Amino acid sequence: GAFPDVAVSTMAAIVANAELGCDYYSQYLFLRQWNFHGVPGMSAQEATLATAAQSAIEFSEDLDGNGVIDAEEGALVVVITRDGSAANLVSKYRPCGPVIVVSDSEDVLRGTMSRFAQIPVKVDSLDGQGKDVSDDLISLGVKHATENGWMVEGKHVVAVSGINTASADEQGLVRFVRGLETHRPAEIYSNPTQLNYIKSLITTAIDQKMLSSKELPHQRSTKIVCTMGPKCWDEEPLGKL
């Protein structure tokens, strides 16, 4: 169409709204189950990094009691990566908070724009060994998230770094660098049947019949398709996208 930037902005708003209906823990189990039964199955590295997404989901809280995890209620994940593979494995399992990607690679940082929940943080170098180097890089990621309003006060930060190097790409280590400062009031969760839950159906086979059917037991299905036509060929509209 004549207004590709407006079209993509509208689709982004639809996706953000639909994301509120996700049951993140069920989604995580769905992805892990089908990946585990695949060929050749799950590697030790992926099994380790998948726990970072799981921990972020478990540490997130529905603070306002509306039945969904909003962006400001999700736990933060900070990943140190040189080639992007560690961050991509974390994003694969769909944590419900931001994934701060700390890297010295311009290619990796640009690639975060097409990955789930990833936010880039540029550093000069990942060289060095030891926990102190990793801690400094993780602190930079937390600082960036705090300055931009993505860090929730009193929440865990899930840190993913390497064992022998700062980068987690070869052998990842998942740990927590900040704990809960206060206990949340239990009454938020005392009667979950009264919350405004949105039913979700997790599937990889969304089609026109499913989208239009009124008989299925779910309330919302989402599928976004974007084609790039002649209006997107110039540099200016591409920049808007």
Side-chain angles (χ1 to χ4, degrees):
F3 306 99
D5 54 325
V6 176
V8 172
S9 297
T10 302
M11 288 189 286
I14 293 172
V15 172
N17 183 53
E19 188 73 19
L20 294 177
C22 286
D23 180 341
Y24 287 99
Y25 196 75
S26 295
Q27 181 175 244
Y28 166 81
L29 294 176
F30 173 83
L31 292 168
R32 180 148 186 166
Q33 176 185 1
W34 283 103
N35 188 78
F36 182 78
H37 290 293
V39 178
M42 183 182 293
S43 67
Q45 170 78 338
E46 181 166 350
T48 299
L49 298 185
T51 63
Q54 180 184 10
S55 297
I57 294 168
E58 293 176 341
F59 291 149
S60 299
E61 296 177 89
D62 178 21
L63 300 179
D64 55 15
N66 67 350
V68 297
I69 301 296
D70 301 314
E72 64 273 12
E73 297 172 337
L76 188 71
V77 182
V78 180
V79 184
I80 304 174
T81 177
R82 189 179 300 277
D83 62 23
S85 60
N88 293 341
L89 283 175
V90 174
S91 292
K92 175 180 178 178
Y93 290 93
R94 299 298 191 265
C96 50
V99 178
I100 306 299
V101 180
V102 181
S103 181
D104 57 0
S105 169
E106 292 284 355
D107 291 340
V108 168
L109 296 173
R110 284 195 295 267
T112 60
M113 298 296 101
S114 62
R115 298 290 182 172
F116 182 86
Q118 292 188 10
I119 299 171
V121 175
K122 179 71 167 64
V123 295
D124 294 333
S125 175
L126 300 183
D127 294 335
Q129 296 182 345
K131 185 173 179 295
D132 291 341
V133 175
S134 298
D135 287 348
D136 290 342
L137 294 171
I138 290 168
S139 296
L140 287 175
V142 173
K143 179 181 178 181
H144 181 76
T146 303
E147 292 172 347
N148 288 276
W150 302 316
M151 176 65 199
V152 181
E153 189 63 34
K155 302 294 292 184
H156 279 296
V157 173
V158 182
V160 182
S161 59
I163 294 179
N164 298 317
T165 62
S167 173
D169 296 323
E170 295 183 3
Q171 193 172 13
L173 172 68
V174 178
R175 54 197 172 98
F176 317 114
V177 296
R178 186 173 301 179
L180 293 169
E181 296 177 0
T182 58
H183 293 286
R184 306 299 183 186
E187 59 266 24
I188 291 180
Y189 309 101
S190 60
N191 192 359
T193 60
Q194 300 300 314
L195 300 180
N196 184 28
Y197 283 104
I198 300 174
K199 296 180 181 178
S200 299
L201 177 67
I202 301 176
T203 179
T204 58
I206 298 177
D207 55 23
Q208 184 177 1
K209 181 179 179 181
M210 177 181 293
L211 292 171
S212 59
S213 174
K214 297 182 180 181
E215 299 177 356
L216 295 176
H218 63 279
Q219 299 176 346
R220 176 179 293 169
S221 298
T222 308
K223 191 168 186 178
I224 300 298
V225 177
C226 176
T227 59
M228 300 181 67
K231 289 291 184 178
C232 302
W233 290 351
D234 296 329
E235 186 174 330
E236 182 178 354
L238 282 176
K240 292 180 179 180
L241 292 177

